[in-house]
Amino acid sequence: MKAIILAFPEKPWENYTMPIRDEPVVKLTEMRLRMSKRIDEVLTVVRKDKLRTYSLHVSNPVPVSARNKMEALLKAMPDEPFFLAEGNMPLIQPFLVNYLIGLYLEDEPEAVIPVWKDGTAEVTHAVYEPDALSEAIRAAFSEGHKTLSSITEFLDFEPVSVEELIKRNPKVSLSFFKVKSSLDKAFAEENLEE
């Protein structure tokens, strides 16, 4: 299965090239995804004007001109099911990626999305069927939504309890960690496996 990394900054703190142990966070995210047995190709969606920067760090940058992450994803969507991650998740756990893809392959729902007890969906740590996701993004746009998290309203997805996964393996919690600041960078450096 393909993995898509969104390295498409919308907010000032979104820095996908922040170095962690001398490697850009997006490169570490790609390396972690490549460790998953079920991932055979990783594509990284980047801003067209940042292609040169990202081509130094990731193997398959996909340059896109778009106003936001949803539009970028819509333009770069593959034509087969894929795993979606954000480019600032260097602690993504390959075993969890494999598990979520396995759940998807069993029933082939529109999506398999980890969900926290409070209802927060981890939309950038999920498996999607591209036609269903395209329709969900278009529906979200038509109702004035601009954030990727709004797509859950328009998808018939299979939720997976994050807390239940963490009970089985505490390392699962690291998978959802996003590097946004220097404190996050320090935490990532401490927890990155050798």
Side-chain angles (χ1 to χ4, degrees), residues 114-162:
V115 179
W116 294 90
K117 196 179 345 182
D118 68 1
T120 304
E122 292 287 348
V123 295
T124 55
H125 201 301
V127 185
Y128 294 96
E129 193 286 314
D131 292 337
L133 182 57
S134 295
E135 286 176 29
I137 290 173
R138 287 188 180 95
F141 276 142
S142 73
E143 296 207 7
H145 296 285
K146 292 186 172 111
T147 59
L148 204 51
S149 59
S150 65
I151 60 171
T152 56
E153 291 178 42
F154 308 97
L155 274 172
D156 181 20
F157 67 93
E158 184 179 324
V160 178
S161 167
V162 174

Side-chain angles (χ1 to χ4, degrees), residues 26-146:
V26 69
K27 183 175 185 175
L28 294 172
T29 303
E30 178 183 4
M31 289 166 56
R32 301 287 294 182
L33 286 169
R34 288 187 181 286
M35 293 166 77
S36 302
K37 291 181 174 88
R38 295 183 183 255
I39 299 292
D40 52 29
E41 184 179 17
V42 180
L43 305 173
T44 305
V45 178
V46 302
R47 289 190 176 278
K48 196 172 189 174
D49 61 338
K50 300 289 184 192
L51 176 60
R52 183 181 297 231
T53 300
Y54 284 94
S55 63
L56 298 171
H57 305 304
V58 296
S59 54
N60 296 310
V62 178
V64 176
S65 292
R67 291 177 297 239
N68 55 42
K69 285 183 173 84
M70 276 204 307
E71 189 179 310
L73 185 55
L74 194 57
K75 288 183 173 184
M77 186 106 42
D79 56 4
E80 60 194 63
F82 64 96
F83 183 88
L84 178 66
E86 195 164 356
N88 60 352
M89 301 171 81
L91 303 178
I92 202 162
Q93 299 296 307
F95 69 85
L96 182 57
V97 174
N98 291 334
Y99 177 72
L100 294 172
I101 291 171
L103 289 178
Y104 176 85
L105 295 173
E106 275 177 30
D107 301 328
E108 295 192 4
E110 290 185 355
V112 172
I113 303 175
V115 179
W116 294 90
K117 196 179 345 182
D118 68 1
T120 304
E122 292 287 348
V123 295
T124 55
H125 201 301
V127 185
Y128 294 96
E129 193 286 314
D131 292 337
L133 182 57
S134 295
E135 286 176 29
I137 290 173
R138 287 188 180 95
F141 276 142
S142 73
E143 296 207 7
H145 296 285
K146 292 186 172 111

